[in-house]
Amino acid sequence: MSEHTDETERTKRLVAAWRGAEHALSRSLLEPTVGELLAELARAPYAMDRPADVYGNGVVGELEERVAGLLGTEDAAFFPSGTMAQQVALRCWAGRTGNPVVALHPMSHPERWEGDALSVVSGLRTAHPTGEPRQPTAAEVEGLAEPFGTLMLELPLRDAGFLLPSWEELEALVAAARERDAVVHFDGARLWESTVHFGRPLAEIAGLADSVYVSFYKSLGGLSGACLAGAREFVEETRVWRHRYGGQVFRQFPQALSALAGLDRELPRLPSYVAQARLVADALREGFAAAGTPWFRIHPEVPHTHQFQVWLPYGPDRLTEAGLRLAEDTGRVLFRRWSADGPPGLSTTELEVTEPGLAWTRADVLEAVTAFTARLGDAPAP
């Protein structure tokens, strides 16, 4: 049996265990069936007897207005993917500033997950204020050795542990970019849940930037899609490039309906998810210490959002198998997949707390940690 076949079979087993579990901190994007997604779509907060959209009008246009209102911007444009939205925004800013250099973190989404599209498709170059796994500082932005036209900040910086700067640090970063005659773009795929950490409403956060990208399937549970928000003239220009990039799709009402449902259902709940994530993180720390785990890390110690990282000194297969057995044996999902993305001998996973996780008590987390670590001894060695 090939390695690919082995992984496919394990994925099927994992998804079956997750779907069958009675208790989970969140639901995986792999769990819903087509029928379940369609049924959810039919419950979206929209009059279903209204005409469908055609090339971005109707429900898509209403979604754009809703997002612009939430972010306090003049306009917003719907995009079929965040990758397209980011590429278009940064390309437009390069044309307006006359500078093709984008200052961003090397762990940010365009650098890691967009197939070098910034350079290959848009002809842009990147400069890195820092290589450390954290948000850059204002001093590092001020000290970049070459001029740059755009500073892109990923809020939160997912691959570094869903990290956010403080509000004062964010203001200083924006001011440093302005001092360098640069514009500021926020990669806000997960900006929705940043309000708790910053202690500011969405419109005040977005108001620091010249443009903001937000996602609808991350955090809000939508099918797919994104929006670019900013000044009306800029957003109109991004619509031109959206068409050139093939993003002027004939009908997109399923994505728009699911996004509206997410804004109604999930957006008001996100502060409670963040608070629960902090309780879970603290309980995990206590549980691992009580279990005598030789080394562990909860990162960040106090989660900035409702997502954070857990690090343990075992191989990823061993940890994934232990989590799978926990789900199958007890009906409780604590961790899902693990990966060896860190130093040798350590594995990491991302933990997210959403509506299902609100029911967990501290005692529930401690019990699950005890059961999970017990199964590490039975799991295959790394």
Side-chain angles (χ1 to χ4, degrees):
M1 187 177 292
S2 69
E3 182 177 343
H4 175 73
T5 302
D6 287 343
E7 184 58 30
T8 299
E9 290 304 312
R10 183 163 74 165
T11 297
K12 290 180 180 178
R13 186 179 162 206
L14 284 166
V15 173
W18 299 339
R19 282 182 57 83
E22 296 181 5
H23 306 284
L25 293 171
S26 64
R27 291 298 175 189
S28 165
L29 296 176
L30 299 178
E31 291 182 46
T33 64
V34 171
E36 290 167 344
L37 292 173
L38 287 174
E40 186 69 24
L41 203 60
R43 293 191 290 269
Y46 197 76
M48 296 299 176
D49 58 349
R50 299 179 64 178
D53 61 296
V54 176
Y55 289 124
N57 65 4
V59 64
V60 177
E62 292 182 33
L63 174 62
E64 292 173 337
E65 292 178 9
R66 177 87 176 272
V67 170
L70 285 168
L71 298 180
T73 59
E74 292 180 348
D75 201 358
F78 183 83
F79 280 75
S81 76
T83 295
M84 184 185 293
Q86 297 261 87
Q87 298 304 316
V88 167
L90 296 175
R91 181 169 193 152
C92 287
W93 283 127
R96 285 170 172 249
T97 63
N99 190 320
V101 178
V102 180
L104 44 62
H105 199 285
M107 298 178 76
S108 63
H109 198 276
E111 290 284 63
R112 286 200 165 186
W113 304 108
E114 296 182 14
D116 298 321
L118 273 181
S119 59
V120 175
V121 178
S122 301
L124 307 182
R125 294 190 294 111
T126 61
H128 301 151
T130 180
E132 296 293 318
R134 55 167 173 77
Q135 291 283 354
T137 66
E140 289 165 340
V141 171
E142 292 169 355
L144 267 174
E146 64 176 318
F148 56 95
T150 305
L151 172 66
M152 194 208 87
L153 297 172
E154 184 176 317
L155 303 173
L157 187 58
R158 181 246 180 113
D159 283 355
F162 304 94
L163 299 182
L164 289 163
S166 70
W167 179 252
E168 293 73 23
E169 289 168 340
L170 182 60
E171 288 184 310
L173 280 164
V174 172
R178 307 281 191 232
E179 286 294 317
R180 296 292 301 267
D181 296 320
V183 298
V184 177
H185 170 73
F186 285 170
D187 174 345
R190 297 172 173 84
L191 190 71
W192 306 113
E193 61 264 35
S194 69
T195 55
V196 175
H197 177 83
F198 287 134
R200 299 291 194 283
L202 280 168
E204 188 173 352
I205 300 168
L208 292 179
D210 296 284
S211 61
V212 180
Y213 142 64
V214 289
S215 173
F216 296 124
Y217 81 88
K218 300 181 178 78
S219 305
L220 296 183
L223 291 176
S224 62
C227 259
L228 271 180
R232 182 164 290 106
E233 182 183 1
F234 174 78
V235 173
E236 280 300 317
E237 182 185 358
T238 69
R239 288 189 171 102
V240 174
W241 281 100
R242 179 183 64 187
H243 183 63
R244 290 169 176 162
Y245 272 64
Q248 191 73 3
V249 180
F250 178 59
R251 291 203 196 282
Q252 299 182 98
F253 69 88
Q255 289 85 351
L257 286 175
S258 65
L260 287 170
L263 290 172
D264 276 8
R265 180 186 62 246
E266 293 300 306
L267 186 58
R269 295 175 177 174
L270 286 173
S272 66
Y273 297 169
V274 176
Q276 184 70 352
R278 292 173 177 176
L279 180 150
V280 170
D282 193 54
L284 286 172
R285 188 178 299 107
E286 179 182 344
F288 284 132
T293 306
W295 185 92
F296 62 90
R297 181 178 183 183
I298 310 298
H299 179 64
E301 289 190 7
V302 178
H304 294 178
T305 72
H306 66 304
Q307 298 169 299
F308 58 94
Q309 293 178 342
V310 180
W311 294 68
L312 287 174
Y314 303 94
D317 289 341
R318 183 173 184 172
L319 290 162
T320 300
E321 182 68 20
L324 173 57
R325 293 186 179 186
L326 177 68
E328 291 176 333
D329 296 344
T330 71
R332 191 176 294 274
V333 179
L334 182 61
F335 303 117
R336 297 183 187 274
R337 290 185 185 271
W338 292 75
S339 61
D341 289 341
L346 297 180
S347 298
T348 182
T349 191
E350 295 177 346
L351 197 149
E352 178 181 31
V353 177
T354 59
E355 193 275 334
L358 295 179
W360 287 51
T361 65
R362 187 180 192 88
D364 291 332
V365 178
L366 293 173
E367 181 182 343
V369 171
T370 299
F372 172 77
T373 54
R375 283 163 175 78
L376 280 173
D378 300 329

